[in-house]
Amino acid sequence: MKYKAYGIVFESDLEFAELPQLTDEVCQVRLKLAELPVDLDLRSDAKWFAGDVDRFWFRITAVAEFLIQQGTEIIVQIYPDADLALVRLFAIGSAFSALMHQRGALVLHGAVLTDGAKTVLFTGESGAGKSTMAAMLWKCGYKVVAEDVAVLYQHDDKWLVYPGYPFMRICPDMFAALQLNTDPLELTKIFTHTEKYLLNLHDRFADVPVALDEIVVLATADQPQYSSQTFAGNMEKFSIIANNTYRPHFLQSQGLVEQHFRQCASLVGQLTVRKIVRPIDETNIYRACDFVESVVWNQI
């Protein structure tokens, strides 16, 4: 089966029912299910990941082991009785992020949305509202470029975000808040141990790479009103980019730290970086979305 994500076509032994299948495209990456060599030198009982200049290995307890090689191959050894939904989740998340590092991409953690004229990556600590904001903006008509993992490549003097997957992960509460004309039974459940579903993005998913214009860090604070702060200093902007790298601990063992430093430094000059803080007791997600939209896109 052939699929496309982050600008590459990959052939996979593991079925991704949530992704559209391709037919005639030439594959650049192979994802296969197989036993890893018993004497694999990267494997360790003391660590859960290891790598060198050509390979990266990691394991997820009770799920699977993954070996990513030379940016062209992912081998997955599934553990007995593993939840296949979790295998797929780590394959398209952590394994693909390691693959993209090997292929020279800058991989950031955040949701990316665009209105066609301006493209913004939303990030923030757990609980800051990144996923909720992405879902609300999608409902308002913005297109999703990436839901959680943003893969960027440099072309000439621009850094472009490549489209990820045409779905969004939502919980039942978020589904209710979105007030969608969709039967919950039509959603694909992605975990067997928690209630979380895949929402098909349909025509509001970007299908071509777009230049990244802005990073917005979402946060909460004990304050009465919303606030917005734009960072002018390159060091501050660099720090935010570097600190929001997806799986940054994957880089050192593969000798990619210097490459990553250069990439972050290059991206700094392209971006506006701002922080938006909402009151910690704010529960109205529509008001939060209105504030973000007015500041980021309407420039008030």
Side-chain angles (χ1 to χ4, degrees), residues 169-173 189-197:
R169 288 168 285 192
I170 61 171
C171 61
D173 288 347
K189 191 173 183 180
I190 57 173
F191 300 125
T192 57
H193 60 291
T194 61
E195 292 289 319
K196 207 158 191 181
Y197 300 89

Side-chain angles (χ1 to χ4, degrees), residues 167-181:
F167 60 76
M168 180 179 292
R169 288 168 285 192
I170 61 171
C171 61
D173 288 347
M174 192 65 233
F175 176 82
L178 290 174
Q179 300 177 353
L180 301 173
N181 295 321

Side-chain angles (χ1 to χ4, degrees), residues 1 10 18-19 30 33 61 69 84-85 108 124 143 145-146 166 171 175 211 213 225 249 284 288:
M1 294 164 285
F10 66 100
E18 58 272 18
L19 298 179
R30 179 83 165 88
L33 304 179
T61 303
Q69 304 189 108
L84 289 181
L108 301 180
K143 286 188 175 183
V145 186
C171 61
F175 176 82
D213 299 298
Q225 297 179 332
H249 45 283
N284 188 323

Side-chain angles (χ1 to χ4, degrees), residues 17-36:
E18 58 272 18
L19 298 179
Q21 290 192 31
L22 306 178
T23 54
D24 300 328
E25 286 79 356
V26 176
C27 292
Q28 297 120 309
V29 171
R30 179 83 165 88
L31 189 156
K32 63 182 182 181
L33 304 179
E35 295 288 320
L36 297 182

Side-chain angles (χ1 to χ4, degrees), residues 200-274:
N200 192 315
L201 300 176
H202 300 293
D203 60 343
R204 276 177 282 163
F205 173 71
D207 55 3
V208 296
V210 288
L212 183 64
D213 299 298
E214 185 166 322
I215 291 179
V216 174
V217 181
L218 299 175
T220 60
D222 186 10
Q223 59 186 43
Q225 297 179 332
Y226 287 90
S227 63
S228 174
Q229 173 191 2
T230 301
F231 298 97
N234 284 343
M235 288 301 296
E236 290 177 309
K237 294 164 69 174
F238 179 93
S239 178
I240 288 171
I241 295 169
N243 289 337
N244 284 285
T245 299
Y246 193 82
R247 301 291 189 260
H249 45 283
F250 285 8
L251 297 169
Q252 186 168 3
S253 62
Q254 299 181 87
L256 298 175
V257 173
E258 183 178 344
Q259 168 187 289
H260 179 253
F261 181 92
R262 293 196 305 267
Q263 291 172 330
C264 293
S266 174
L267 182 59
V268 161
Q270 177 176 320
L271 292 174
T272 298
V273 178
R274 80 174 79 229

Side-chain angles (χ1 to χ4, degrees), residues 122 128-129 132-133 136-137 140 218-220 226 276-279 282-296:
F122 291 90
T132 298
M133 185 58 60
M136 292 299 298
L137 290 169
C140 290
L218 299 175
T220 60
Y226 287 90
I276 293 179
V277 181
R278 66 175 170 86
E282 174 67 274
T283 59
N284 188 323
I285 59 176
Y286 290 92
R287 188 157 51 227
C289 182
D290 287 345
F291 182 83
V292 167
E293 189 175 16
S294 65
V295 169
V296 174

Side-chain angles (χ1 to χ4, degrees), residues 38-218:
V38 175
D39 59 349
L40 178 66
D41 58 327
L42 295 179
R43 186 184 276 125
S44 169
D45 292 332
K47 297 184 293 185
W48 70 275
F49 69 91
D52 58 27
V53 294
D54 294 316
R55 303 169 300 159
F56 188 80
W57 165 88
F58 71 94
R59 69 161 177 263
I60 304 299
T61 303
V63 178
E65 291 183 45
F66 300 82
L67 180 64
I68 301 94
Q69 304 189 108
Q70 299 180 322
T72 59
E73 182 178 62
I74 299 173
I75 303 174
V76 184
Q77 178 179 322
I78 302 176
Y79 291 154
D81 302 319
D83 183 344
L84 289 181
L86 287 177
V87 176
R88 292 194 299 271
L89 181 70
F90 283 104
I92 65 174
S94 296
F96 258 84
S97 71
L99 181 89
M100 295 303 167
H101 286 313
Q102 291 178 352
R103 295 178 69 88
L106 174 60
V107 187
L108 301 180
H109 189 193
V112 182
L113 292 101
T114 185
D115 66 350
K118 183 177 184 179
T119 301
V120 182
L121 183 148
F122 291 90
T123 188
E125 295 182 358
S126 179
K130 170 178 65 70
S131 297
T132 298
M133 185 58 60
M136 292 299 298
L137 290 169
W138 173 80
K139 186 189 176 185
C140 290
Y142 294 86
K143 286 188 175 183
V144 173
V145 186
E147 181 227 9
D148 187 57
V149 180
V151 171
L152 291 82
Y153 287 99
Q154 189 173 23
H155 290 268
D156 298 325
D157 60 343
K158 285 289 187 180
W159 282 91
L160 305 182
V161 186
Y162 278 70
Y165 304 101
F167 60 76
M168 180 179 292
R169 288 168 285 192
I170 61 171
C171 61
D173 288 347
M174 192 65 233
F175 176 82
L178 290 174
Q179 300 177 353
L180 301 173
N181 295 321
T182 303
D183 187 336
L185 295 177
E186 296 178 6
L187 300 177
T188 303
K189 191 173 183 180
I190 57 173
F191 300 125
T192 57
H193 60 291
T194 61
E195 292 289 319
K196 207 158 191 181
Y197 300 89
L198 292 180
L199 174 67
N200 192 315
L201 300 176
H202 300 293
D203 60 343
R204 276 177 282 163
F205 173 71
D207 55 3
V208 296
V210 288
L212 183 64
D213 299 298
E214 185 166 322
I215 291 179
V216 174
V217 181
L218 299 175

